[in-house]
Amino acid sequence: MATAISLAFSLDPQSHHNYHHHFHHNTNFSSHKASIFTQKGSFPFLISSNSHTPNLIIPLSTSQSSSSSSSIETPLQTGKFLTNQELEKLEFLEKYRYFQELGSGVLWVRVMREEEMDVTVWLLAESFAESMLMPKGYVKFLAYLVKQYMIERRAMMPHTATLLGFYKENGEDSDLQLAGTVEVCFDKRGANANPPTPTPPKNSPYICNMTVDKLLRRRGIGWHLLKASEELISQMSSSREVYLHCRMIDTAPLNMYRKAGYTIVETNNLFILLTLQRRKHLMCKVLPDSESPFEVDQSTSSIDT
């Protein structure tokens, strides 16, 4: 089980800047399931988008990253350039794997691929609508907004990344399913432009938008999405302080974060209720020191699926 960390979504035009229209008009959000094949030709798997209720961050604008000198172009960021170090980090993200055997099955976690964006968008949009008690008719509209956000966030890699967890239940006939997702920001250039309050430091890693399929809860998937996020942060960021948000009413996620070592550093006051938002805790954990990821053998942290 897991929920997303916090909410920063508003339709008030005074609350957000205009967002960029990068929507792919051929996207079909009407299907709740989609078959997606791995790029390396391993095996096909069915992705289920039945979702667990999150509290989603959907800022309508994101911070823009700039590049420094000695840069080379990458096809994953059309019109943008990456430095040599950024390109190394991007290649590391593409190879990153987290594997965990659970009691009822196995879990793989890796960075979202471009062709998996639509089912991930639908997973988040359904979860957000459920969390806000919104009619199902709003899901497609929310999916449109989430799609804008995710396109912009993907363009900011390697300063941020969206992780997907794939779960396969024990048994030869079981399908590999999309079990959940989580977003990780590694540094200031990957920070959300409009983070929720209390505001986390923009130069510190930040975990958000975590959700787990509602049919796959209580299996430890949320816990391992959190652990995978922390592991990746320790390899991608020089900062050891990791932040996340948790709504006060979400007692189960709050207990999970506390068990994982997160402590409450600030809570927004009662006035936030006037904006029709729930009160939230800002929580922080200090990760143990580790070696620079690019000075160690990266293959020890990667497992190919």
Short mmCIF file of all heavy atoms in Angstrom, two decimals, residues 56-118:
data_model
loop_
_atom_site.label_atom_id
_atom_site.label_comp_id
_atom_site.label_asym_id
_atom_site.label_seq_id
_atom_site.Cartn_x
_atom_site.Cartn_y
_atom_site.Cartn_z
N LEU A 56 -2.40 13.60 -5.41
CA LEU A 56 -1.49 13.82 -6.52
C LEU A 56 -0.99 15.24 -6.62
O LEU A 56 -1.73 16.18 -6.37
CB LEU A 56 -2.21 13.44 -7.83
CG LEU A 56 -1.45 13.59 -9.13
CD1 LEU A 56 -0.31 12.60 -9.18
CD2 LEU A 56 -2.39 13.35 -10.30
N ILE A 57 0.26 15.41 -7.01
CA ILE A 57 0.83 16.72 -7.32
C ILE A 57 0.69 16.95 -8.82
O ILE A 57 1.21 16.17 -9.60
CB ILE A 57 2.31 16.79 -6.94
CG1 ILE A 57 2.46 16.67 -5.44
CG2 ILE A 57 2.95 18.07 -7.43
CD1 ILE A 57 3.89 16.66 -5.00
N ILE A 58 -0.04 17.97 -9.23
CA ILE A 58 -0.14 18.33 -10.64
C ILE A 58 0.04 19.83 -10.79
O ILE A 58 -0.91 20.55 -11.06
CB ILE A 58 -1.48 17.92 -11.26
CG1 ILE A 58 -1.89 16.51 -10.82
CG2 ILE A 58 -1.42 17.98 -12.78
CD1 ILE A 58 -3.23 16.09 -11.38
N PRO A 59 1.23 20.36 -10.62
CA PRO A 59 1.43 21.78 -10.90
C PRO A 59 1.24 22.04 -12.38
O PRO A 59 1.65 21.22 -13.20
CB PRO A 59 2.86 22.04 -10.45
CG PRO A 59 3.53 20.72 -10.45
CD PRO A 59 2.46 19.70 -10.20
N LEU A 60 0.63 23.16 -12.74
CA LEU A 60 0.38 23.46 -14.13
C LEU A 60 1.57 24.10 -14.82
O LEU A 60 1.50 24.47 -15.96
CB LEU A 60 -0.85 24.38 -14.25
CG LEU A 60 -2.15 23.75 -13.75
CD1 LEU A 60 -3.31 24.68 -14.07
CD2 LEU A 60 -2.37 22.39 -14.39
N SER A 61 2.69 24.26 -14.12
CA SER A 61 3.93 24.69 -14.74
C SER A 61 5.07 24.08 -13.98
O SER A 61 4.94 23.74 -12.82
CB SER A 61 4.07 26.22 -14.71
OG SER A 61 4.19 26.67 -13.40
N THR A 62 6.18 23.88 -14.66
CA THR A 62 7.34 23.31 -14.02
C THR A 62 8.54 24.18 -14.29
O THR A 62 8.60 24.93 -15.25
CB THR A 62 7.64 21.89 -14.55
OG1 THR A 62 7.80 21.97 -15.97
CG2 THR A 62 6.51 20.93 -14.22
N SER A 63 9.53 24.07 -13.42
CA SER A 63 10.75 24.86 -13.61
C SER A 63 11.48 24.38 -14.84
O SER A 63 11.47 23.21 -15.17
CB SER A 63 11.64 24.72 -12.37
OG SER A 63 11.94 23.37 -12.14
N GLN A 64 12.13 25.28 -15.52
CA GLN A 64 12.86 24.94 -16.73
C GLN A 64 14.34 24.80 -16.41
O GLN A 64 14.91 25.57 -15.67
CB GLN A 64 12.67 26.04 -17.79
CG GLN A 64 11.22 26.27 -18.16
CD GLN A 64 10.60 25.04 -18.79
OE1 GLN A 64 11.23 24.41 -19.64
NE2 GLN A 64 9.41 24.68 -18.38
N SER A 65 14.94 23.77 -16.98
CA SER A 65 16.36 23.54 -16.73
C SER A 65 17.18 24.11 -17.87
O SER A 65 16.77 24.10 -19.02
CB SER A 65 16.63 22.03 -16.60
OG SER A 65 16.27 21.38 -17.79
N SER A 66 18.34 24.62 -17.54
CA SER A 66 19.26 25.14 -18.54
C SER A 66 20.50 24.29 -18.55
O SER A 66 20.82 23.61 -17.60
CB SER A 66 19.62 26.59 -18.22
OG SER A 66 20.20 26.67 -16.95
N SER A 67 21.24 24.33 -19.65
CA SER A 67 22.42 23.50 -19.77
C SER A 67 23.67 24.35 -19.72
O SER A 67 23.66 25.53 -20.01
CB SER A 67 22.37 22.70 -21.09
OG SER A 67 22.34 23.61 -22.17
N SER A 68 24.76 23.71 -19.33
CA SER A 68 26.03 24.41 -19.26
C SER A 68 26.86 24.07 -20.49
O SER A 68 26.40 23.43 -21.42
CB SER A 68 26.75 23.99 -17.97
OG SER A 68 26.93 22.60 -17.96
N SER A 69 28.10 24.48 -20.47
CA SER A 69 28.97 24.26 -21.63
C SER A 69 29.36 22.80 -21.74
O SER A 69 29.05 21.98 -20.90
CB SER A 69 30.22 25.12 -21.49
OG SER A 69 30.90 24.78 -20.30
N SER A 70 30.09 22.48 -22.81
CA SER A 70 30.55 21.11 -23.07
C SER A 70 29.39 20.14 -23.08
O SER A 70 29.37 19.13 -22.39
CB SER A 70 31.58 20.67 -22.03
OG SER A 70 32.07 19.38 -22.34
N SER A 71 28.35 20.44 -23.88
CA SER A 71 27.15 19.63 -23.88
C SER A 71 26.96 18.94 -25.22
O SER A 71 27.47 19.36 -26.24
CB SER A 71 25.93 20.51 -23.57
OG SER A 71 25.82 21.54 -24.51
N ILE A 72 26.20 17.83 -25.18
CA ILE A 72 25.89 17.11 -26.40
C ILE A 72 24.40 16.84 -26.43
O ILE A 72 23.74 16.77 -25.41
CB ILE A 72 26.68 15.79 -26.48
CG1 ILE A 72 26.36 14.91 -25.26
CG2 ILE A 72 28.16 16.05 -26.58
CD1 ILE A 72 27.10 13.60 -25.29
N GLU A 73 23.87 16.68 -27.64
CA GLU A 73 22.44 16.51 -27.78
C GLU A 73 22.04 15.08 -27.48
O GLU A 73 22.78 14.14 -27.73
CB GLU A 73 22.02 16.88 -29.20
CG GLU A 73 20.51 16.93 -29.38
CD GLU A 73 20.14 17.46 -30.75
OE1 GLU A 73 21.05 17.67 -31.56
OE2 GLU A 73 18.95 17.65 -30.98
N THR A 74 20.84 14.90 -26.92
CA THR A 74 20.31 13.57 -26.67
C THR A 74 18.92 13.47 -27.29
O THR A 74 18.13 14.40 -27.20
CB THR A 74 20.21 13.27 -25.17
OG1 THR A 74 19.48 12.04 -24.99
CG2 THR A 74 19.49 14.36 -24.41
N PRO A 75 18.58 12.35 -27.92
CA PRO A 75 17.27 12.23 -28.55
C PRO A 75 16.13 12.18 -27.56
O PRO A 75 14.98 12.37 -27.93
CB PRO A 75 17.38 10.89 -29.31
CG PRO A 75 18.47 10.14 -28.61
CD PRO A 75 19.43 11.20 -28.15
N LEU A 76 16.38 11.93 -26.26
CA LEU A 76 15.32 11.88 -25.27
C LEU A 76 14.84 13.26 -24.86
O LEU A 76 13.83 13.40 -24.22
CB LEU A 76 15.79 11.11 -24.03
CG LEU A 76 16.04 9.62 -24.24
CD1 LEU A 76 16.45 8.97 -22.93
CD2 LEU A 76 14.81 8.93 -24.80
N GLN A 77 15.58 14.32 -25.21
CA GLN A 77 15.19 15.68 -24.87
C GLN A 77 15.26 16.55 -26.12
O GLN A 77 16.25 17.21 -26.37
CB GLN A 77 16.07 16.25 -23.77
CG GLN A 77 15.87 15.55 -22.42
CD GLN A 77 16.59 16.28 -21.31
OE1 GLN A 77 17.73 16.65 -21.44
NE2 GLN A 77 15.91 16.47 -20.19
N THR A 78 14.23 16.48 -26.91
CA THR A 78 14.22 17.19 -28.18
C THR A 78 14.40 18.69 -27.96
O THR A 78 13.67 19.31 -27.19
CB THR A 78 12.90 16.94 -28.91
OG1 THR A 78 12.73 15.52 -29.07
CG2 THR A 78 12.90 17.60 -30.27
N GLY A 79 15.38 19.27 -28.65
CA GLY A 79 15.62 20.69 -28.54
C GLY A 79 16.40 21.09 -27.32
O GLY A 79 16.62 22.27 -27.10
N LYS A 80 16.80 20.12 -26.50
CA LYS A 80 17.58 20.43 -25.31
C LYS A 80 18.92 19.74 -25.39
O LYS A 80 19.13 18.83 -26.18
CB LYS A 80 16.83 19.99 -24.04
CG LYS A 80 15.55 20.78 -23.80
CD LYS A 80 14.98 20.48 -22.43
CE LYS A 80 13.76 21.34 -22.18
NZ LYS A 80 13.20 21.12 -20.82
N PHE A 81 19.83 20.17 -24.57
CA PHE A 81 21.18 19.63 -24.58
C PHE A 81 21.56 19.17 -23.18
O PHE A 81 21.11 19.73 -22.19
CB PHE A 81 22.17 20.68 -25.07
CG PHE A 81 21.94 21.09 -26.50
CD1 PHE A 81 21.06 22.12 -26.80
CD2 PHE A 81 22.59 20.44 -27.53
CE1 PHE A 81 20.84 22.50 -28.11
CE2 PHE A 81 22.37 20.82 -28.84
CZ PHE A 81 21.49 21.84 -29.14
N LEU A 82 22.40 18.13 -23.14
CA LEU A 82 22.87 17.60 -21.87
C LEU A 82 24.39 17.72 -21.82
O LEU A 82 25.08 17.51 -22.83
CB LEU A 82 22.48 16.13 -21.72
CG LEU A 82 20.99 15.82 -21.62
CD1 LEU A 82 20.79 14.31 -21.44
CD2 LEU A 82 20.34 16.57 -20.49
N THR A 83 24.89 18.03 -20.64
CA THR A 83 26.33 17.97 -20.45
C THR A 83 26.75 16.51 -20.44
O THR A 83 25.92 15.60 -20.35
CB THR A 83 26.72 18.64 -19.12
OG1 THR A 83 26.15 17.88 -18.04
CG2 THR A 83 26.23 20.08 -19.05
N ASN A 84 28.06 16.27 -20.50
CA ASN A 84 28.55 14.90 -20.47
C ASN A 84 28.13 14.19 -19.18
O ASN A 84 27.76 13.01 -19.20
CB ASN A 84 30.08 14.89 -20.60
CG ASN A 84 30.52 15.31 -21.98
OD1 ASN A 84 29.80 15.13 -22.96
ND2 ASN A 84 31.72 15.88 -22.08
N GLN A 85 28.17 14.91 -18.05
CA GLN A 85 27.77 14.30 -16.79
C GLN A 85 26.27 13.99 -16.77
O GLN A 85 25.84 12.94 -16.28
CB GLN A 85 28.12 15.21 -15.62
CG GLN A 85 27.82 14.58 -14.26
CD GLN A 85 28.08 15.51 -13.10
OE1 GLN A 85 27.63 16.66 -13.10
NE2 GLN A 85 28.83 15.03 -12.12
N GLU A 86 25.47 14.91 -17.33
CA GLU A 86 24.03 14.65 -17.39
C GLU A 86 23.73 13.46 -18.28
O GLU A 86 22.83 12.65 -17.98
CB GLU A 86 23.31 15.89 -17.92
CG GLU A 86 23.24 17.04 -16.92
CD GLU A 86 22.64 18.29 -17.51
OE1 GLU A 86 22.90 18.56 -18.71
OE2 GLU A 86 21.92 19.00 -16.80
N LEU A 87 24.46 13.31 -19.37
CA LEU A 87 24.25 12.17 -20.25
C LEU A 87 24.61 10.87 -19.55
O LEU A 87 23.91 9.86 -19.68
CB LEU A 87 25.09 12.33 -21.52
CG LEU A 87 24.92 11.22 -22.57
CD1 LEU A 87 23.46 11.09 -22.99
CD2 LEU A 87 25.81 11.47 -23.77
N GLU A 88 25.68 10.87 -18.76
CA GLU A 88 26.04 9.68 -18.00
C GLU A 88 24.94 9.32 -17.00
O GLU A 88 24.61 8.14 -16.82
CB GLU A 88 27.36 9.92 -17.26
CG GLU A 88 28.58 9.98 -18.17
CD GLU A 88 29.85 10.30 -17.40
OE1 GLU A 88 29.77 10.42 -16.16
OE2 GLU A 88 30.91 10.42 -18.03
N LYS A 89 24.37 10.34 -16.35
CA LYS A 89 23.29 10.09 -15.39
C LYS A 89 22.05 9.56 -16.11
O LYS A 89 21.35 8.69 -15.58
CB LYS A 89 22.97 11.37 -14.62
CG LYS A 89 24.04 11.76 -13.61
CD LYS A 89 23.60 12.99 -12.81
CE LYS A 89 24.61 13.33 -11.74
NZ LYS A 89 24.19 14.50 -10.91
N LEU A 90 21.77 10.10 -17.29
CA LEU A 90 20.61 9.63 -18.05
C LEU A 90 20.78 8.17 -18.44
O LEU A 90 19.85 7.37 -18.34
CB LEU A 90 20.42 10.50 -19.29
CG LEU A 90 19.17 10.23 -20.12
CD1 LEU A 90 17.91 10.49 -19.31
CD2 LEU A 90 19.16 11.08 -21.39
N GLU A 91 21.97 7.81 -18.88
CA GLU A 91 22.24 6.42 -19.23
C GLU A 91 22.14 5.51 -18.01
O GLU A 91 21.66 4.38 -18.10
CB GLU A 91 23.63 6.31 -19.87
CG GLU A 91 23.71 6.98 -21.23
CD GLU A 91 25.13 7.02 -21.78
OE1 GLU A 91 26.07 6.76 -20.99
OE2 GLU A 91 25.29 7.29 -22.97
N PHE A 92 22.55 6.02 -16.85
CA PHE A 92 22.44 5.26 -15.61
C PHE A 92 20.97 5.02 -15.26
O PHE A 92 20.58 3.93 -14.84
CB PHE A 92 23.15 5.99 -14.48
CG PHE A 92 23.07 5.29 -13.15
CD1 PHE A 92 23.90 4.21 -12.88
CD2 PHE A 92 22.18 5.70 -12.19
CE1 PHE A 92 23.83 3.55 -11.67
CE2 PHE A 92 22.10 5.06 -10.97
CZ PHE A 92 22.93 3.97 -10.70
N LEU A 93 20.14 6.06 -15.42
CA LEU A 93 18.72 5.91 -15.14
C LEU A 93 18.08 4.86 -16.04
O LEU A 93 17.22 4.08 -15.60
CB LEU A 93 18.00 7.25 -15.33
CG LEU A 93 18.23 8.32 -14.26
CD1 LEU A 93 17.55 9.63 -14.66
CD2 LEU A 93 17.71 7.86 -12.90
N GLU A 94 18.47 4.84 -17.30
CA GLU A 94 17.90 3.88 -18.23
C GLU A 94 18.25 2.44 -17.86
O GLU A 94 17.50 1.51 -18.16
CB GLU A 94 18.36 4.18 -19.65
CG GLU A 94 17.78 5.49 -20.21
CD GLU A 94 18.37 5.87 -21.55
OE1 GLU A 94 19.44 5.32 -21.89
OE2 GLU A 94 17.77 6.70 -22.24
N LYS A 95 19.38 2.25 -17.19
CA LYS A 95 19.83 0.90 -16.82
C LYS A 95 19.41 0.50 -15.41
O LYS A 95 19.55 -0.66 -15.03
CB LYS A 95 21.36 0.82 -16.92
CG LYS A 95 21.90 0.99 -18.33
CD LYS A 95 23.42 0.99 -18.34
CE LYS A 95 23.97 1.21 -19.73
NZ LYS A 95 25.47 1.26 -19.73
N TYR A 96 18.92 1.45 -14.65
CA TYR A 96 18.64 1.18 -13.24
C TYR A 96 17.52 0.15 -13.08
O TYR A 96 16.49 0.22 -13.74
CB TYR A 96 18.24 2.47 -12.52
CG TYR A 96 17.84 2.24 -11.08
CD1 TYR A 96 18.80 1.99 -10.10
CD2 TYR A 96 16.50 2.24 -10.70
CE1 TYR A 96 18.44 1.74 -8.78
CE2 TYR A 96 16.13 2.01 -9.38
CZ TYR A 96 17.10 1.77 -8.44
OH TYR A 96 16.74 1.52 -7.13
N ARG A 97 17.72 -0.82 -12.18
CA ARG A 97 16.73 -1.81 -11.83
C ARG A 97 16.74 -2.05 -10.32
O ARG A 97 17.80 -2.05 -9.69
CB ARG A 97 16.98 -3.16 -12.53
CG ARG A 97 16.99 -3.10 -14.05
CD ARG A 97 15.60 -2.84 -14.62
NE ARG A 97 15.59 -2.92 -16.06
CZ ARG A 97 15.89 -1.93 -16.88
NH1 ARG A 97 16.27 -0.76 -16.39
NH2 ARG A 97 15.84 -2.10 -18.19
N TYR A 98 15.55 -2.23 -9.78
CA TYR A 98 15.39 -2.62 -8.37
C TYR A 98 14.52 -3.86 -8.38
O TYR A 98 13.43 -3.87 -8.97
CB TYR A 98 14.74 -1.48 -7.59
CG TYR A 98 14.43 -1.79 -6.13
CD1 TYR A 98 15.30 -1.38 -5.12
CD2 TYR A 98 13.26 -2.45 -5.77
CE1 TYR A 98 15.02 -1.63 -3.78
CE2 TYR A 98 12.97 -2.70 -4.44
CZ TYR A 98 13.85 -2.30 -3.45
OH TYR A 98 13.56 -2.56 -2.12
N PHE A 99 14.99 -4.92 -7.74
CA PHE A 99 14.26 -6.19 -7.75
C PHE A 99 14.02 -6.63 -6.32
O PHE A 99 14.91 -6.52 -5.46
CB PHE A 99 15.07 -7.25 -8.50
CG PHE A 99 14.47 -8.63 -8.43
CD1 PHE A 99 13.43 -8.99 -9.27
CD2 PHE A 99 14.96 -9.57 -7.53
CE1 PHE A 99 12.87 -10.26 -9.20
CE2 PHE A 99 14.42 -10.84 -7.46
CZ PHE A 99 13.37 -11.19 -8.30
N GLN A 100 12.81 -7.14 -6.05
CA GLN A 100 12.50 -7.61 -4.71
C GLN A 100 11.51 -8.77 -4.79
O GLN A 100 10.49 -8.70 -5.46
CB GLN A 100 11.87 -6.48 -3.87
CG GLN A 100 11.53 -6.86 -2.46
CD GLN A 100 12.76 -7.15 -1.61
OE1 GLN A 100 13.76 -6.46 -1.75
NE2 GLN A 100 12.69 -8.14 -0.75
N GLU A 101 11.85 -9.84 -4.09
CA GLU A 101 10.93 -10.95 -3.96
C GLU A 101 9.99 -10.67 -2.79
O GLU A 101 10.42 -10.38 -1.68
CB GLU A 101 11.68 -12.26 -3.72
CG GLU A 101 12.49 -12.72 -4.91
CD GLU A 101 13.10 -14.10 -4.69
OE1 GLU A 101 12.76 -14.73 -3.66
OE2 GLU A 101 13.90 -14.54 -5.53
N LEU A 102 8.68 -10.76 -3.06
CA LEU A 102 7.67 -10.58 -2.04
C LEU A 102 7.06 -11.94 -1.71
O LEU A 102 7.29 -12.92 -2.40
CB LEU A 102 6.59 -9.60 -2.52
CG LEU A 102 7.10 -8.23 -3.00
CD1 LEU A 102 5.95 -7.40 -3.52
CD2 LEU A 102 7.84 -7.52 -1.90
N GLY A 103 6.26 -11.98 -0.67
CA GLY A 103 5.68 -13.25 -0.27
C GLY A 103 4.78 -13.87 -1.32
O GLY A 103 4.76 -15.08 -1.50
N SER A 104 4.06 -13.03 -2.05
CA SER A 104 3.09 -13.52 -3.02
C SER A 104 3.56 -13.39 -4.47
O SER A 104 2.84 -13.80 -5.39
CB SER A 104 1.77 -12.77 -2.86
OG SER A 104 1.99 -11.36 -3.02
N GLY A 105 4.73 -12.82 -4.68
CA GLY A 105 5.21 -12.62 -6.04
C GLY A 105 6.53 -11.87 -6.05
O GLY A 105 7.26 -11.84 -5.05
N VAL A 106 6.85 -11.27 -7.20
CA VAL A 106 8.10 -10.53 -7.35
C VAL A 106 7.79 -9.13 -7.89
O VAL A 106 6.79 -8.92 -8.58
CB VAL A 106 9.09 -11.25 -8.29
CG1 VAL A 106 9.57 -12.54 -7.67
CG2 VAL A 106 8.44 -11.52 -9.65
N LEU A 107 8.67 -8.19 -7.57
CA LEU A 107 8.50 -6.80 -7.97
C LEU A 107 9.76 -6.31 -8.67
O LEU A 107 10.86 -6.50 -8.17
CB LEU A 107 8.21 -5.93 -6.74
CG LEU A 107 8.05 -4.42 -6.98
CD1 LEU A 107 6.71 -4.14 -7.66
CD2 LEU A 107 8.14 -3.65 -5.66
N TRP A 108 9.58 -5.68 -9.84
CA TRP A 108 10.66 -4.99 -10.54
C TRP A 108 10.34 -3.50 -10.54
O TRP A 108 9.20 -3.11 -10.77
CB TRP A 108 10.78 -5.45 -11.99
CG TRP A 108 11.28 -6.84 -12.19
CD1 TRP A 108 12.57 -7.26 -12.34
CD2 TRP A 108 10.47 -8.02 -12.30
NE1 TRP A 108 12.62 -8.62 -12.53
CE2 TRP A 108 11.35 -9.12 -12.51
CE3 TRP A 108 9.09 -8.27 -12.23
CZ2 TRP A 108 10.89 -10.42 -12.66
CZ3 TRP A 108 8.64 -9.57 -12.38
CH2 TRP A 108 9.53 -10.62 -12.59
N VAL A 109 11.34 -2.67 -10.33
CA VAL A 109 11.16 -1.23 -10.40
C VAL A 109 12.22 -0.68 -11.35
O VAL A 109 13.40 -1.02 -11.24
CB VAL A 109 11.31 -0.56 -9.01
CG1 VAL A 109 11.12 0.96 -9.13
CG2 VAL A 109 10.30 -1.14 -8.03
N ARG A 110 11.80 0.16 -12.27
CA ARG A 110 12.72 0.83 -13.20
C ARG A 110 12.10 2.14 -13.64
O ARG A 110 10.95 2.45 -13.33
CB ARG A 110 13.04 -0.05 -14.40
CG ARG A 110 11.84 -0.47 -15.22
CD ARG A 110 12.26 -1.02 -16.57
NE ARG A 110 11.17 -1.64 -17.30
CZ ARG A 110 10.23 -0.99 -17.95
NH1 ARG A 110 10.23 0.34 -17.95
NH2 ARG A 110 9.28 -1.63 -18.60
N VAL A 111 12.86 2.92 -14.39
CA VAL A 111 12.40 4.22 -14.88
C VAL A 111 11.38 4.02 -16.00
O VAL A 111 11.53 3.15 -16.85
CB VAL A 111 13.59 5.06 -15.37
CG1 VAL A 111 13.12 6.37 -16.01
CG2 VAL A 111 14.54 5.36 -14.21
N MET A 112 10.34 4.84 -15.98
CA MET A 112 9.28 4.78 -16.99
C MET A 112 9.85 5.04 -18.38
O MET A 112 10.66 5.94 -18.59
CB MET A 112 8.20 5.82 -16.68
CG MET A 112 7.04 5.85 -17.65
SD MET A 112 5.96 7.30 -17.40
CE MET A 112 7.03 8.62 -18.02
N ARG A 113 9.40 4.25 -19.35
CA ARG A 113 9.75 4.46 -20.75
C ARG A 113 8.66 5.29 -21.43
O ARG A 113 7.53 5.34 -20.98
CB ARG A 113 9.93 3.12 -21.46
CG ARG A 113 11.12 2.33 -20.91
CD ARG A 113 11.15 0.91 -21.42
NE ARG A 113 12.29 0.18 -20.89
CZ ARG A 113 12.43 -1.13 -20.92
NH1 ARG A 113 11.47 -1.88 -21.45
NH2 ARG A 113 13.49 -1.72 -20.41
N GLU A 114 9.03 5.90 -22.54
CA GLU A 114 8.11 6.83 -23.20
C GLU A 114 6.80 6.17 -23.58
O GLU A 114 5.72 6.76 -23.41
CB GLU A 114 8.78 7.43 -24.44
CG GLU A 114 7.93 8.51 -25.12
CD GLU A 114 8.66 9.17 -26.27
OE1 GLU A 114 9.77 8.72 -26.61
OE2 GLU A 114 8.12 10.15 -26.82
N GLU A 115 6.85 4.93 -24.08
CA GLU A 115 5.62 4.27 -24.52
C GLU A 115 4.74 3.83 -23.35
O GLU A 115 3.61 3.38 -23.55
CB GLU A 115 5.95 3.06 -25.41
CG GLU A 115 6.59 1.89 -24.68
CD GLU A 115 8.11 1.96 -24.65
OE1 GLU A 115 8.65 3.07 -24.83
OE2 GLU A 115 8.75 0.91 -24.45
N GLU A 116 5.24 3.96 -22.13
CA GLU A 116 4.46 3.59 -20.94
C GLU A 116 3.82 4.81 -20.27
O GLU A 116 3.16 4.67 -19.23
CB GLU A 116 5.37 2.87 -19.94
CG GLU A 116 5.88 1.54 -20.45
CD GLU A 116 7.09 1.03 -19.67
OE1 GLU A 116 7.73 1.82 -18.97
OE2 GLU A 116 7.37 -0.18 -19.78
N MET A 117 3.96 5.98 -20.87
CA MET A 117 3.46 7.19 -20.23
C MET A 117 1.94 7.19 -20.14
O MET A 117 1.36 7.58 -19.11
CB MET A 117 3.93 8.44 -20.98
CG MET A 117 3.49 9.74 -20.30
SD MET A 117 4.05 11.22 -21.15
CE MET A 117 5.81 11.13 -20.89
N ASP A 118 1.24 6.76 -21.19
CA ASP A 118 -0.21 6.87 -21.20
C ASP A 118 -0.86 6.03 -20.10
O ASP A 118 -1.79 6.50 -19.43
CB ASP A 118 -0.76 6.46 -22.57
CG ASP A 118 -0.44 7.48 -23.65
OD1 ASP A 118 -0.12 8.63 -23.29
OD2 ASP A 118 -0.49 7.13 -24.84
#
